[in-house]
Amino acid sequence: MAGGEARRPITVTVTGAGGQIGYAALFRIASGAMLGPEQPVALRLLEIPQGVQAAEGAALELVDGAFPLLTSVDIATDAAAGFAGTNIALLVGSRPRTAGMERADLLAANGAIFGPQGRAINDHAADDVRVLVVGNPANTNALIAQRNAPDVPAERFTALTRLDHNRAVGLLAERADAAVADVAGVTIWGNHSTTQYPDLSHATVAGRPALDAVGAEWGRGAYIERVANRGAEIIEVRGGSSVASAANAAIDHVRDWVLGTDASPASGGTTGAWTSAALPSTGHYGIPEGIIASVPVRSAGDAGGEPARWEVVDGLEIDAFSRARIDASVAELVAERDQVEALGLIPSE
Ligand SMILES: NC(=O)c1ccc[n+]([C@@H]2O[C@H](COP(=O)([O-])OP(=O)(O)OC[C@H]3O[C@@H](n4cnc5c(N)ncnc54)[C@H](O)[C@@H]3O)[C@@H](O)[C@H]2O)c1
Ligand SMILES: O=C(O)C[C@H](O)C(=O)O
């Protein structure tokens, strides 16, 4: 920084860094796309032993990228080392569902990952640590990590629904034959699953109510199903689950949290724009406290002192259709919470 004091690097830990989303995210983080063009970054890649070689390959390529903002790349297999002093943690590595696996088996397998990682974050991360969980089932994995990190403020644990949000914006713009920058006011409510509710009630396209622009029959029918099942559509068409769009969404989430939603390229230069993120509920919109549910959010961005928090956009009118959709997705999250509680993966309240 010409004439100014050099900024201290922010340490970013990426778990599952040897996997596909990790590979797609690392180079953009190193380039400044996540934390801004003046912010140096120290990368920490946390992998299990089977994934270390792929992470080492990515680390070699990071050198070959000659990124001016990248101050170091370290690989760890031990969570304590992987999260030591970490400011931003992207929890991507998780156990995918395999043939014959029940949902409870999946939750248990992931509990064995996210419980210890939550404890390691609690004990070793920096005081200002912020966490984004990408690995599925993202909301409940985030809950497990958060509940195993009692010394970290709960709101620092979030789960990724920005991919759903971006899908909802992209598909609406496509249908309305409008530019993405003309779309505002879309919300994803609930779980990153097929019960999620992409809500157009408050959305606009070039200033016009979105449900008028595309018709309520589509906007409250096929559209919801399309967005909620987009992950499966990508798997079918691409032959594998979303990678680049997921990494892009993770970067969008952290960027807008740290730098603020008004400064976001997604705001199209307007103030007051919102996005969607899954946060521990404090009871807003009738969502039971504690579960990590997607809601409309803004961030003012870091301004020195305490790290910026996501603020829930309050006061939106929820009609009967939206209420039923939100309640259904929230019920699924409550059931997942009850399951991981019964499995002993989170302490009971
Ligand atoms: N929330 C979302 O919007 C969203 C979108 C797409 C994918 N996902 C999920 O993201 C996850 C990662 O997807 P991917 O395509 O990169 O998978 P991948 O299989 O390519 O990579 C996962 C990596 O995680 C590593 N890993 C496993 N357990 C680990 C642990 N305990 N600690 C550190 N690393 C560990 C594996 O070795 C592997 O390298 C999956 O759970 C996927 O379902 C979420
Ligand atoms: O849908 C999936 O299983 C993968 C991922 O969560 C996605 O939304 O693309």
Side-chain angles (χ1 to χ4, degrees):
M1 283 164 52
E5 206 182 306
R7 292 195 195 197
R8 290 180 51 174
I10 289 182
T11 300
V12 177
T13 298
V14 180
T15 76
Q20 297 201 81
I21 294 174
Y23 187 70
L26 291 173
F27 297 85
R28 293 192 59 209
I29 298 170
S31 76
M34 186 168 86
L35 297 170
E38 293 184 357
Q39 177 57 57
V41 178
L43 275 173
R44 213 51 90 52
L45 318 186
L46 180 62
E47 260 293 351
I48 50 176
Q50 304 90 291
V52 164
Q53 199 175 344
E56 283 172 351
L60 295 182
E61 285 197 74
L62 283 162
V63 172
D64 297 349
F67 294 104
L69 293 171
L70 186 61
T71 60
S72 60
V73 182
D74 293 294
I75 298 174
T77 51
D78 168 58
F83 292 118
T86 283
N87 307 106
I88 308 255
L90 301 185
L91 308 189
V92 180
S94 74
R95 173 74 201 272
R97 198 201 303 233
T98 43
M101 217 175 175
E102 299 297 332
R103 196 164 177 86
D105 300 333
L106 183 70
L107 290 170
N110 279 302
I113 296 174
F114 289 87
Q117 288 186 353
R119 286 192 284 282
I121 288 170
N122 189 70
D123 295 346
H124 303 286
D127 285 347
D128 66 355
V129 67
R130 278 181 274 206
V131 182
L132 169 63
V133 176
V134 176
N136 282 323
N139 301 53
T140 297
N141 288 341
L143 179 73
I144 295 169
Q146 183 262 312
R147 294 287 296 280
N148 281 280
D151 303 329
V152 179
E155 83 263 4
R156 306 275 191 79
F157 283 83
T158 63
L160 186 72
T161 52
R162 182 62 178 265
L163 177 56
D164 309 293
H165 181 95
N166 287 350
R167 287 167 170 166
V169 170
L171 289 168
L172 173 61
E174 187 180 74
R175 177 78 175 195
D177 199 16
V180 161
D182 288 336
V183 171
V186 169
T187 302
I188 302 294
W189 298 93
N191 202 0
H192 172 66
S193 77
T194 54
T195 67
Q196 67 177 260
Y197 171 42
D199 179 8
L200 294 187
S201 319
H202 308 281
T204 53
V205 179
R208 181 175 176 215
L211 288 174
D212 292 347
V214 296
E217 192 186 332
W218 184 79
R220 291 194 145 183
Y223 171 73
I224 294 175
E225 299 316 311
R226 185 89 191 273
V227 174
N229 290 289
R230 186 69 159 185
E233 184 182 346
I234 300 292
I235 290 171
E236 196 183 313
V237 176
R238 225 189 130 250
S241 73
S242 59
V243 176
S245 57
N248 179 60
I251 284 166
D252 282 353
H253 175 113
V254 175
R255 183 200 60 218
D256 288 359
W257 193 358
V258 172
L259 301 180
T261 31
D262 280 353
S264 173
S267 75
T270 57
T271 50
W274 74 71
T275 184
S276 305
L279 323 175
S281 172
T282 53
H284 38 247
Y285 292 104
I287 299 170
E289 274 184 45
I291 63 162
I292 297 193
S294 186
V295 285
V297 289
R298 294 189 184 104
S299 166
D302 291 356
E306 281 289 293
R309 327 157 48 117
W310 285 119
E311 303 287 349
V312 178
V313 176
D314 258 336
L316 298 177
E317 198 187 314
I318 306 295
D319 66 14
F321 179 88
S322 294
R323 187 75 259 163
R325 284 283 182 164
I326 295 169
D327 288 351
S329 195
V330 164
E332 182 182 48
L333 285 169
V334 168
E336 289 183 16
R337 192 250 346 251
D338 292 348
Q339 259 181 303
V340 295
E341 206 170 86
L343 289 163
L345 300 173
I346 57 173
S348 18
E349 292 199 305

